Amino acid sequence: MSGKEITLIIDGREVNASEGEMLHDAAKRGDVEIPVFCYEPKLGEPVGACRMCLVEIEGIPKLQTSCSTPVRDGMVVHTRTDQVKHAQSAVVEFLLINHPLDCPVCDKGGECPLQDISMGWGPGKSRMTDDKRHFEKPIELSPLVAIDRERCILCYRCVRFSQEVAEDEQLQLLERGDRTFVGTFDDRPYVAPFHGNITDLCPVGALTSYTYRFRARPWDIEQAGSVCTLCPSQCNVSFTVRDEQVKRVVARDNPDVDDGWLCDRGRYGFEMFGAEERIRAPRLRGGAEATWDEAIAKAAEALRAASVDHTGVGTNLAAASGNGGAAIVGDASNEEGYLIQRIMREAVGSPNIDSRPSRGPSREALVRLAQPEITARVRDIDDADAILVVGTDPLHASPILDLRIRKAIRRNGAKLAVATEGPTTLDGGATAATRYAPGNAGPFLAELAAALEADGPISQGDLDVSARRPQEVAGALRGAGSIVVVWGDRIGREGDGAVTALLDVTAALDLAGKNGSGLLEVPELTNARGLREAGCLPDAGPGLTRAPFGSHTSPNGASNGKATEEIRVALESGELKTILLFGVDPLRDFPDTQAWRNALAKADHVVCFSMFENATTAMADVVFPLETHAEKDGTVTHPDGRLQRVRPSASRPGDIRPNWGVLAELSLALGHDTGVDSQPSAFAALAEAVPFYAGITDADIGGRGIRWQDVGPEKATGTGSPDTQPEAPTPPAEN
Amino acid sequence: MPETRMLLKNAEDPALRTLAGYKGYGGYATLEKAYRELEADEVLQELEDSGLRGRGGAGFSMGKKASFLPRGGSVDKYLCCNADESEPGAFKDRELMQRNPHQLIEGIAIAALAAGIGHAFVFIRGEYDSQADVLDAAVAEAYEAGYLGTDILGTRRNLELVVHRGAGAYICGEETALLDALEGKRGNPRLKPPFPAVQGLYGGPTLINNVETLSNVPHIVAHGAEWFKGFGTEQSPGTKVVSVSGCVQRPGNYEVELGIPTRELIYGLAGGPAEGREVKAFYPGGSSSPVLTAEEGLDLPYSFEAMAEAGSMLGSGSVIVADDSVSIPHMALRTARFYHHESCGKCTPCREGTNWTVKMLERVVRGEATPMDLDIVASVQENIIGHCLCVLGDSMAMPVGAMVRKFRPEFERVIAEAGHAEAVAA
Amino acid sequence: MAELPVDQALTEGRVPDRAPERVPELHEVDCPDELRKRIEELMSRYPDRKSASIPALWAVQRLYGWCTPEGIRQAAAVMRVTPAYLESVASFYDLLHTDPVGTHKVAVCTNISCWMRGGDELLEAFRAAAGEDPDFFVTGFECLGACDIAPMASIDERYFGPLEAAEAGTAIEQLRAGAEVLPEKALEKRPLPGGPDA
Ligand SMILES: Cc1cc2nc3c(=O)[nH]c(=O)nc-3n(C[C@H](O)[C@H](O)[C@H](O)COP(=O)(O)O)c2cc1C
Ligand code: SF4
Ligand code: FES
C-alpha cells in the first residue's frame, strides 16, 4: 500500500500504517493478532462474512470488522475489551454449533485455524444441545479434492477464488441461509487448472486433497521450501516432508513470483517423484546396471571420442578439433548448465551447445533483449495500465501469469491486448484479441510497430481485415501509462527479424521510458534464461559474452557452435559423433521427431541425463538419473531475471547422486578439473563467470530470490569496478 | 381521528391506475412543472425541507439521502425503488402500486430529476405478480405519453425505468442486497461503507427509496414542504399508510397522520380484537420491531420518535396485533422461523443464531426445555445483536429477545404445561 | 505434445466421470429461439447483461415449469456465463425451483398474521385436497404481503383470501377443471377497509 503514512493507537500502542490499509493488517504489523477466517488479502476485497475480526473503535458504537475497515489517522482501537472478547467468543460458539468436531479423523487437525482460534478466542464450551446440520461426506468435488460440507464454515474463500481469481466460475454457493453449501453445477466435477488452491485456502478440513488425506499429522512432518521447476513460472513451493519423502506441496507466498498460488501440476505432480518408472541408478545401453565409476568412464569415453582429432592422430585434448560432440541442455539448474558448457568447451573442445528446442535469436539480439531498462518484473503486471500478450498462451506456458493478468484486469482495470497464433483463454477479458498466421509473429509485430508509430489511429474503415488487427491492438495500448509486454520465446524461433520487430514495438511504446513497463519473456523451458546466462548457447559464453572457444577456433574459423537444429542435421550426416542430452527428450519435446530418431540412431555415442525412461533414453549408450526439484541443489533464473534457490527437500531415491557432482566428476574423467566440489563452489564459479551475477551470494538469493538487475553497485565486487553498475550485458557493437 | 388520505386519495376508483384516470385527478401536472420549470436543486431542496423520512424501515430523511449523491458530473447515477416489501405485516406498498401506480412513477421521475439520475429501477418482489403487471402497464403508458424515455417533454432530460421482478427473498429488501440481486447475483448484503449513495448499483452512486417514500414526492413538490409539514408531527411529518393486521376485526391499510394515538389506530380504525378479546401485545413496526405490551404501547402516539422511546421502532409502519388468545412463545417461534428461513447465510451470527434459536424455541413449545434454556435463548439474541453484517439478525434478535424478556412467565408456563403433557402422554 | 511424466502422475486413475461445466456454446445446447430472443431482449434492458440473470431464470421456469439443468445451460449459453453461476442464483430464491414442481403452485402463508388466523389449518386443507397429485405443488410460505386477507394463499401467482379451510378443496377442484378460482375471494376485488374517501 503506497498511501500517506498515518499513525493509530491499537491497545494503547502506537502503530504506523499507510492510508487505505485495512485495520487488521496494520494491527498485525503492530504485533496485535486479530483472528480471522474469511479475510484473505490474496482474494482481493474483504467480504466481512465470518465476523471473527470484530474490534472496538472509539467513536463508533457498534463493533467493526477490522478486516474491512481502512485505517484513519488518530484512530483509537481496542481488541481486548470485554465487549470484543464477548463478540469473539459468541462468533466461535456460533461457528461450532453445526461443526462436526471430528478433529481426530480430520486432516486439518494440528494446522487448523478453526482449532487455533477456538482455543485462543473461543468460549471453551458450547451450550448447543440440539442436533447439528448434516451432509453426506466426504464427496468427490474433483478427482483430486474431497469436500466435507459439514466442516465448512461458509467463509466464501473457495468460491471467491473460483469466481474472482481463477475465474473458472465452476465452484459456487448453492441454496440460502444455513442450508447453503459449496458445490458445482449439477454435481459436475470441479476441473480447472488451479482448483487445488482451494485446499490451501480452506481454513478448516472441508477441502482436502486426496493425495494427502490420512498421510501425515503435523507433528510427523517438516516443511522445506524450494522452487517448482515444472514450468517457467518457477513458483515458490513448500514441500511437506515425512520420512524424507514429499507428501504434499503447498504454496509459499512470493508476491514477486506467484502471488501465493500454485497450478495443479505444481501442487499434485509431486507423485512422480516416487514413481517406480524413475531412473534410480546409472545404466548402460540395453538396461544393464552400472556402477557410477563405470558409467562415468563410459560417458567420458564417449565424449573423448568426440574430441579425437579428425585426422585420427593422438588424443591430446587441447589440440583436438573437438567438433565431433554436442550437448543440449533442458531441465537443468544454472550450475548444471554452466558445468556442461565448460565440459563441452574446455574438456571436449566443442562449441556445440544449446538450450533451445530448435533454434533462436542470435547473441546480439539476446543482449538487446536483456537490457534491464526494457525488462519488466512479474509484479509490474499488477499495476500495468495495458498488457500485451503476444505469441504465447500464458495458461499453458506459464499458468501463474494467467492469474496475474486476470488480477490486473479485474482489480486495476488494465486493458489487455492478445495477439497469438490460436485462441487463448484470456481472449474473453481482452480489449483486443487477434490472431496472426503461424510463424508470422515478426511481420505482425512490424505492422504493430508501424501502427503505433503513426500518431493517430488510421480510420478502421479503409483497412482490410488483416491490416485492421494491428490497429486494434495499437488502439488498446496507445496512451497507456505503464505497459507490460508478455511475449512467447517461440517468436525467437523465427529469427532475429522477429526480435527486431519486437524491439521496434518496445521502442514505439517507449517501454524503457515508462516505469513499471517492459518485456516479460515466457520461454518454453523452465530455466531458459538461467541456461542462456550460464552460457548454454552455441554463440554465447557465460554472461552472454562472445563465445569463448577455449584456445581453438573450429576449422571454419567461426567460434560459434551449432544450434539444436544444426546439431540434429550434423548427427544425421555423421559430422557429429557424440551427443549429451541433459534433461531433454528430443523425441517428445522437439520438432521433427523422425529426423531426431534418425540422428540418434546414426550417432556413435548418446549420453543422457533423465528422470524417466523414454524413447530417447532407449537409444542412449549411458543414462544417468536426473534429480527432481525436490532433490536438486542449485539455482534457477526466472524469466524476469530473478535468481531463485532450488533446495534439496527430500532424499534422492535409489542411488541417485547430485547432478552437479556427476558433471564435475565427468569433467575430471576428461582430464579437466573444474575445481567444483560443492553446490556453493559451483555457484561461485558461475557468479565469477557471469559479470552481472558477480557478488550475488546465497544469502542474497535467500527464500525470495533476487533479480540481478536489482543488485546495487555495492554488491558488484566481481569484475566490474565497485562504483559502476554490474557490467550489464553490453550491446554487441561495443565488444 | 379519521384517516387522512393523500397517497390513497381516490384509491377506490379503478380508473386511477390508468394514465387517463390518474391525469383526470391532476396527475403528472407536478412532473410537467418540475421538468419544464424547476431546477434539480430546487426540487431537492423542497424534498429536504419537507423532512420526509424513509417509509421503508430506516426512517432516514429522503432529501438528505438524495443530497449525498455527487451533484452533476458524467458518472452514471441510479435510482432503485425498493418494492420488495417482504417484512411480515407489511402490505402498504402492494396497495399503493396496485391502486395508484402512476403516483409512484411520477414520484420516481421527479426524484430522479432532483438527484440527476438517468436510470431507475423498480425492484418488486416476485410474489407481487399481478401488481407487477399493473406497474408494467403503467410504465408503458408513461413512456408512450413522453413522461419517460429520452428528451422527456422536450426538456433534453432522460430517464429509463425498468420494472425488475425479484424471485422470493426477504433479504433483497435490504438496500445493498437489493443491489446485488439487481446485478443478477445472489442477494447478499454488501459491506458498508461504501454507502450506496456513493458507490451502489454497478458501482455508481445510487438512491434507494421505498415505494411509499417516493409516492410522497409529487405531493411535496406540488404543494411545498410547509404544506407537507402541516401533517404529522415535527419529527415525523406527513402521513403514513399503516398496515394493520393480526387479531383485529378490520385488517387493512389506513393512511393516517403520524402521531395518531395507537389505540385509535388499532381500536378506532381497525376495529380492535374480536368480541371479548383484549390486545395482549403488538409489533408496532412489523415483525422486526420489539413487541410492546398493551400497557406499554396502546396509549403512545404512533410516530417514529414515540416508538423509539418505548424501546421499539415504527419501521415500515405495519402493526401486527396479538390478542389474549395468542401464545407469545409460539409467536416468538413463528418470528424466529421467518428470519431463519430468510437469512442469506453470509455471516456467522445470523446464519447460525437464527437456526439455533428456532431449534431451542421448538424444544420450548414441545416442553423439552428448562428455564435455563430461556436464558440461553436470551443470551443468543444478545450474541447476535450488533455483530452481523446487516440488521436481519438484529431484526429477529430484538423482537424475540423482547418477547422472552417481557413474557418470561408465559414461556415458563408453556414449558411446564407442555412438559407435563409430554410426561402424561409418554 | 505427448504427456509429460508429471501429467501422467496427475491424471492416472483420476479421470473425472463427467465433464466439468464451462460456459456452453449456443450450438451445444438446442435453445429454443423464443427463449434466446427473450433473454437477449432482457439483457438489452440493463447496463450490465448479468442483471438479466433472474428474469432469464424466470423465462426458463415459465417455459419448462422449473429451472431444469438443461434450461439453465441454455440460458447460460445465451448470457455467456457458467451454468453454475445461474444455478447458484436460482437456488438462492424461493420462487425459482431447481427441482421438478407441479404446474399449479399453491403457496399458503404461514407467517405471523396468517398463523394467528388459521394459516396452518388452511395449509393442511390444501395438502389434503391436492393429495399426491404431481400436478400440484402445495407449500407453506413466508409473509406474502397480504396480511389484510389472512389466512390467504397465492394460487398460480394470484392472491386469494381470507379463506376457509373448506375453500381449499374448492380451489383445487377449480384448478383441475381449469375454471376460475374462487372469484369472490380474489384480492383485486377487495375494497379499502376504511371505505371510500371520507
Ligand atoms: C433485512 C432487511 C429487509 C428490508 N426490507 C425492506 C423492504 O422490503 N422494503 C423497503 O422499502 N425497505 C426495506 N429495508 C430497508 C432498506 O434497507 C432501505 O433502508 C430502504 O428501502 C430505504 O428506503 P427509504 O429510505 O425510503 O426507507 C430492509 C432492510 C433490512 C435490513
Ligand atoms: S469449503 Fe472451506 S474455504 Fe470454502 S466456504 Fe467452506 S470453509 Fe470456507
Ligand atoms: S475476517 Fe473480518 S469478517 Fe471474516
Side-chain angles (χ1 to χ4, degrees):
Chain A
M1 287 291 181
S2 57
K4 180 157 66 66
E5 273 308 303
I6 60 160
T7 53
L8 59 151
I9 316 280
I10 302 180
D11 293 342
R13 273 210 313 277
E14 258 198 26
V15 175
N16 295 327
S18 42
E19 209 156 36
E21 193 180 359
M22 290 307 164
L23 178 55
H24 171 271
D25 301 331
K28 195 180 216 171
R29 262 214 323 286
D31 294 337
V32 172
E33 192 187 351
I34 301 174
V36 290
F37 285 118
C38 68
Y39 180 56
E40 174 43 72
K42 290 197 286 194
L43 294 170
E45 287 303 306
V47 280
C50 74
R51 318 304 290 174
M52 195 61 228
C53 69
L54 290 168
V55 292
E56 199 177 307
I57 300 177
E58 276 179 14
I60 306 176
K62 261 178 70 172
L63 296 182
Q64 298 298 307
T65 48
S66 56
C67 73
S68 60
T69 305
V71 291
R72 284 191 321 282
D73 202 22
M75 196 184 218
V76 179
V77 182
H78 303 285
T79 69
R80 284 198 178 67
T81 58
D82 290 346
Q83 194 191 3
V84 173
K85 285 205 176 79
H86 170 73
Q88 290 166 337
S89 169
V91 169
V92 171
E93 183 179 39
F94 280 135
L95 281 173
L96 295 178
I97 66 169
N98 274 309
H99 196 75
L101 290 180
D102 50 4
C103 302
V105 291
C106 174
D107 282 276
K108 204 73 178 184
E111 47 183 39
C112 170
L114 182 59
Q115 256 181 352
D116 303 343
I117 291 178
S118 296
M119 303 307 285
W121 286 272
K125 58 175 174 32
S126 174
R127 297 171 292 176
M128 164 70 164
T129 53
D130 295 280
D131 48 23
K132 298 189 177 211
R133 168 193 68 183
H134 290 296
F135 285 99
E136 193 198 335
K137 69 179 215 172
I139 301 174
E140 193 178 289
L141 186 64
S142 86
L144 283 159
V145 174
I147 183 166
D148 177 328
R149 288 170 175 141
E150 286 190 351
R151 294 178 187 161
C152 169
I153 61 169
L154 290 171
C155 72
Y156 280 39
R157 285 181 170 205
C158 58
V159 290
R160 278 158 60 199
F161 174 79
S162 168
Q163 283 158 32
E164 291 163 15
V165 180
E167 293 181 342
D168 53 61
E169 288 196 2
Q170 286 182 41
L171 200 61
Q172 298 283 354
L173 289 167
L174 296 165
E175 298 305 328
R176 184 179 71 210
D178 64 340
R179 285 89 59 204
T180 308
F181 62 90
V182 172
T184 55
F185 172 71
D186 208 15
D187 293 330
R188 296 286 179 86
Y190 178 25
V191 176
F194 302 102
H195 87 300
N197 285 300
I198 57 177
T199 56
D200 268 359
L201 281 171
C202 184
V204 294
L207 294 168
T208 49
S209 298
Y210 279 111
T211 55
Y212 189 61
R213 282 173 72 82
F214 307 117
R215 291 298 201 289
R217 278 301 192 182
W219 49 85
D220 305 329
I221 57 172
E222 298 140 358
Q223 289 296 120
S226 182
V227 164
C228 176
T229 58
L230 293 172
C231 93
S233 304
Q234 294 188 12
C235 298
N236 288 195
V237 291
S238 180
F239 293 115
T240 300
V241 179
R242 181 182 189 182
D243 310 335
E244 293 199 356
Q245 280 196 337
V246 174
K247 295 291 178 186
R248 175 180 64 172
V249 182
V250 289
R252 185 167 61 83
D253 295 21
N254 185 343
D256 289 319
V257 174
D258 50 46
D259 241 0
W261 307 122
L262 291 180
C263 80
D264 287 351
R265 282 175 80 221
R267 180 182 302 277
Y268 295 115
F270 71 90
E271 289 184 306
M272 75 169 180
F273 297 166
E276 321 99 58
E277 298 83 6
R278 267 214 59 199
I279 299 173
R280 285 175 157 68
R283 67 147 182 81
L284 305 179
R285 181 179 284 274
E289 291 280 337
T291 67
W292 277 96
D293 295 340
E294 285 163 358
I296 288 177
K298 182 75 175 160
E301 178 204 326
L303 289 167
R304 193 173 295 113
S307 58
V308 164
D309 179 33
H310 274 279
T311 59
V313 172
T315 58
N316 175 340
L317 291 186
S321 64
N323 60 9
I328 302 174
V329 194
D331 184 358
S333 69
N334 296 344
E335 291 83 355
E336 287 153 4
Y338 169 69
L339 286 172
I340 292 169
Q341 62 91 29
R342 279 189 66 179
I343 289 172
M344 295 312 289
R345 287 184 168 121
E346 294 159 14
V348 175
S350 158
N352 305 323
I353 175 163
D354 200 353
S355 54
R356 293 158 306 180
S358 58
R359 62 189 179 291
S362 68
R363 187 192 78 85
E364 287 68 26
L366 290 171
V367 163
R368 288 170 63 201
L369 283 170
Q371 298 309 307
E373 61 275 13
I374 58 165
T375 306
R377 299 170 307 170
V378 170
R379 183 189 277 272
D380 292 335
I381 295 176
D382 293 353
D383 316 316
D385 296 323
I387 300 164
L388 169 62
V389 171
V390 56
T392 180
D393 180 357
L395 183 62
H396 303 300
S398 175
I400 283 307
L401 289 187
D402 176 84
L403 292 187
R404 202 89 191 210
I405 293 169
R406 287 177 189 280
K407 177 175 117 178
I409 297 169
R410 177 174 285 269
R411 294 189 206 159
N412 185 40
K415 284 206 292 193
L416 171 66
V418 177
T420 49
E421 291 172 3
T424 77
T425 52
L426 286 171
D427 291 353
T431 313
T434 180
R435 303 285 94 84
Y436 54 76
N440 277 296
F444 174 85
L445 286 167
E447 284 167 34
L448 177 60
L452 285 165
E453 289 299 342
D455 41 34
I458 304 165
S459 74
Q460 303 281 43
D462 50 28
L463 293 172
D464 61 38
V465 174
S466 65
R468 195 176 305 136
R469 291 199 191 99
Q471 286 300 341
E472 282 164 25
V473 170
L477 302 175
R478 187 168 290 118
S482 57
I483 302 169
V484 173
V485 175
V486 177
W487 62 284
D489 75 348
R490 193 181 281 267
I491 291 177
R493 267 196 214 171
E494 296 176 20
D496 278 14
V499 171
T500 307
L502 179 65
L503 290 166
D504 291 345
V505 169
T506 306
L509 292 170
D510 182 24
L511 297 187
K514 294 179 172 136
N515 53 36
S517 299
L519 299 172
L520 185 58
E521 180 191 3
V522 177
E524 281 181 59
L525 207 60
T526 300
N527 194 22
R529 177 161 201 151
L531 296 176
R532 184 188 314 151
E533 290 173 352
C536 295
L537 291 174
D539 57 353
L544 289 174
T545 52
R546 190 169 288 291
F549 183 54
S551 54
H552 317 287
T553 54
S554 67
N556 54 27
S559 64
N560 288 350
K562 295 183 188 326
T564 299
E565 210 166 50
E566 294 156 343
I567 290 174
R568 192 203 72 227
V569 170
L571 282 171
E572 276 182 291
S573 68
E575 182 194 342
L576 290 180
K577 295 282 183 281
T578 297
I579 177 79
L580 165 63
L581 297 168
F582 190 99
V584 279
D585 177 357
L587 299 181
R588 183 191 63 206
D589 303 332
F590 294 171
D592 312 320
T593 310
Q594 191 45 47
W596 264 108
R597 199 179 302 284
N598 304 342
L600 292 178
K602 191 76 169 30
D604 293 352
H605 310 281
V606 178
V607 179
C608 272
F609 280 74
S610 176
M611 284 188 212
F612 291 89
E613 294 294 350
N614 52 45
T616 300
T617 56
M619 304 178 78
D621 300 306
V622 58
V623 178
F624 293 98
L626 194 67
E627 295 163 299
T628 67
H629 56 282
E631 300 137 15
K632 197 183 286 282
D633 194 356
T635 57
V636 286
T637 305
H638 188 279
D640 76 351
R642 176 174 298 273
L643 273 81
Q644 299 209 86
R645 193 68 166 73
V646 182
R647 296 184 195 285
S649 312
S651 63
R652 295 175 193 80
D655 187 17
I656 299 179
R657 290 186 181 170
N659 294 137
W660 60 263
V662 174
L663 292 171
E665 268 180 60
L666 181 57
S667 182
L668 213 58
L670 288 165
H672 177 73
D673 183 352
T674 56
V676 165
D677 55 9
S678 66
Q679 185 279 331
S681 62
F683 180 71
L686 169 72
E688 190 63 40
V690 178
F692 42 83
Y693 284 2
I696 298 178
T697 64
D698 201 49
D700 296 332
I701 298 176
R704 291 273 177 266
I706 186 167
R707 290 183 71 237
W708 59 259
Q709 298 94 331
D710 298 341
V711 172
E714 71 292 347
K715 290 301 277 181
T717 53
T719 51
S721 60
D723 53 15
T724 63
Q725 272 285 343
E727 200 249 310
T730 46
E734 278 168 41
N735 72 351
Chain B
M1 216 144 81
E3 287 191 77
T4 316
R5 287 208 179 144
M6 179 172 74
L7 304 180
L8 285 177
K9 198 165 186 41
N10 310 313
E12 281 298 298
D13 178 358
L16 182 62
R17 71 174 70 169
T18 64
L19 185 87
Y22 182 65
K23 289 189 80 165
Y25 288 104
Y28 284 118
T30 316
L31 181 144
E32 286 173 15
K33 185 178 107 184
Y35 269 72
R36 288 207 176 96
E37 298 159 24
L38 299 178
E39 284 311 315
D41 292 345
E42 275 178 277
V43 179
L44 185 64
Q45 195 54 50
E46 201 65 38
L47 292 173
E48 215 165 328
D49 296 347
S50 73
L52 169 65
R53 295 176 66 164
R55 300 317 198 220
F60 193 81
S61 153
M62 188 253 181
K64 193 178 286 158
K65 195 196 292 190
S67 68
F68 291 153
L69 273 79
R71 311 298 302 158
S74 61
V75 72
D76 279 342
K77 290 183 273 191
Y78 304 96
L79 182 142
C80 295
C81 167
N82 189 335
D84 189 61
E85 186 165 63
S86 306
E87 173 105 356
F91 46 92
K92 60 172 174 83
D93 295 344
R94 184 207 81 211
E95 195 99 69
L96 286 170
M97 287 189 284
Q98 183 180 312
R99 294 183 184 279
N100 197 346
H102 285 288
Q103 177 177 250
L104 172 60
I105 294 169
E106 185 174 18
I108 288 172
I110 297 172
L113 168 74
I117 288 170
H119 283 268
F121 300 87
V122 177
F123 186 94
I124 183 167
R125 68 181 293 180
E127 294 85 346
Y128 281 175
D129 193 69
S130 77
Q131 288 72 18
D133 292 346
V134 166
L135 208 54
D136 281 341
V139 167
E141 281 186 300
Y143 264 102
E144 233 169 86
Y147 291 124
L148 290 171
T150 48
D151 191 16
I152 294 171
L153 303 172
T155 62
R156 282 193 318 288
R157 286 179 167 138
N158 310 331
L159 179 63
E160 294 306 325
L161 177 56
V162 173
V163 177
H164 180 99
R165 295 169 192 236
Y170 163 71
I171 183 62
C172 293
E174 198 280 332
E175 51 184 12
T176 57
L178 183 145
L179 297 180
D180 260 22
L182 201 44
E183 288 178 11
K185 305 176 187 151
R186 293 161 62 88
N188 288 335
R190 301 177 179 177
L191 286 172
K192 289 192 267 192
F195 290 91
V198 173
Q199 189 183 328
L201 193 60
Y202 311 123
T206 306
L207 178 64
I208 302 166
N209 275 120
N210 169 266
V211 169
E212 187 183 352
T213 314
L214 289 164
S215 298
N216 275 289
V217 166
H219 301 278
I220 292 173
V221 175
H223 307 294
E226 288 319 308
W227 166 83
F228 183 77
K229 287 202 270 196
F231 300 96
T233 71
E234 207 266 332
Q235 283 181 299
S236 313
T239 67
K240 182 74 188 63
V241 180
V242 182
S243 307
V244 186
S245 68
C247 302
V248 283
Q249 294 179 46
R250 291 193 299 276
N253 285 310
Y254 298 92
E255 185 168 8
V256 293
E257 282 192 60
L258 281 165
I260 181 174
T262 307
R263 183 180 297 278
E264 171 56 26
L265 192 57
I266 294 178
Y267 281 89
L269 290 170
E275 289 315 318
R277 288 286 174 205
E278 283 304 318
V279 172
K280 179 184 221 177
F282 64 96
Y283 297 82
S287 65
S288 58
S289 56
V291 290
L292 294 178
T293 63
E295 301 70 29
E296 279 176 324
L298 277 185
D299 295 315
L300 295 176
Y302 192 69
S303 68
F304 283 104
E305 58 278 12
M307 289 305 130
E309 251 160 64
S312 185
M313 59 182 196
L314 189 125
S316 55
S318 335
V319 178
I320 308 174
V321 179
D323 67 18
D324 40 33
S325 74
V326 173
S327 153
I328 297 295
H330 288 83
M331 190 165 88
L333 170 57
R334 197 58 53 146
T335 305
R337 276 212 184 106
F338 170 72
Y339 289 100
H340 167 228
H341 178 77
E342 296 294 348
S343 166
C344 86
K346 181 169 181 178
C347 79
T348 315
C350 169
R351 174 185 69 243
E352 304 300 341
T354 50
N355 81 65
W356 189 7
T357 303
V358 165
K359 285 175 186 164
M360 285 192 284
L361 289 179
E362 272 164 353
R363 260 195 299 114
V364 165
V365 296
R366 284 203 309 270
E368 293 158 15
T370 65
M372 196 190 82
D373 285 312
L374 296 181
D375 301 332
I376 297 176
V377 168
S379 157
V380 164
Q381 306 320 305
E382 288 307 315
N383 286 351
I384 294 171
I385 293 175
H387 296 157
C388 301
L389 196 143
C390 87
V391 290
L392 186 142
D394 307 58
S395 299
M396 174 194 79
M398 287 191 294
V400 167
M403 280 185 257
V404 171
R405 213 172 37 252
K406 295 180 180 176
F407 295 91
R408 180 77 183 219
E410 189 173 338
F411 276 85
E412 285 172 357
R413 202 166 52 253
V414 164
I415 291 175
E417 278 161 15
H420 175 66
E422 197 67 39
V424 167
Chain C
M1 219 175 36
E3 280 237 297
L4 295 169
V6 64
D7 294 321
Q8 277 153 13
L10 202 59
T11 51
E12 223 159 337
R14 290 201 181 108
V15 179
D17 49 8
R18 295 163 74 204
E21 197 46 68
R22 294 188 180 72
V23 178
E25 295 307 326
L26 261 176
H27 58 76
E28 291 167 352
V29 295
D30 51 13
C31 175
D33 237 12
E34 97 217 45
L35 179 62
R36 183 177 53 73
K37 285 204 192 74
R38 173 77 178 130
I39 295 176
E40 276 158 2
E41 189 273 321
L42 286 169
M43 286 197 285
S44 66
R45 291 193 197 170
Y46 301 91
D48 170 358
R49 62 179 166 70
K50 266 190 166 175
S51 292
S53 304
I54 295 172
L57 288 166
W58 271 115
V60 168
Q61 178 155 297
R62 289 222 155 68
L63 188 59
Y64 298 112
W66 55 285
C67 295
T68 60
E70 215 20 59
I72 287 181
R73 287 186 70 239
Q74 288 163 7
V78 177
M79 291 188 63
R80 308 309 304 143
V81 289
T82 58
Y85 176 82
L86 285 182
E87 187 185 33
S88 95
V89 170
S91 65
F92 183 87
Y93 295 101
D94 293 338
L95 295 181
L96 297 172
H97 304 289
T98 46
D99 303 304
V101 284
T103 45
H104 294 298
K105 297 183 178 58
V106 179
V108 180
C109 180
T110 57
N111 203 276
I112 301 169
S113 306
C114 284
W115 160 68
M116 287 178 183
R117 301 173 76 102
D120 292 354
E121 293 72 24
L122 183 61
L123 175 59
E124 280 327 307
F126 265 104
R127 284 218 169 98
E132 295 311 313
D133 186 338
D135 231 6
F136 288 87
F137 175 70
V138 177
T139 178
F141 210 83
E142 294 305 335
C143 180
L144 285 158
C147 322
D148 48 346
I149 57 170
M152 60 78 61
S154 165
I155 303 172
D156 286 346
E157 292 176 10
R158 286 296 177 272
Y159 285 4
F160 298 90
L163 297 179
E164 312 294 331
E167 288 175 304
T170 324
I172 296 290
E173 287 322 313
Q174 286 164 338
L175 283 169
R176 281 214 175 90
E180 196 195 356
V181 172
L182 302 173
E184 71 298 349
K185 287 296 180 76
L187 171 72
E188 284 72 13
K189 293 206 171 63
R190 187 177 167 77
L192 274 174
D197 291 346

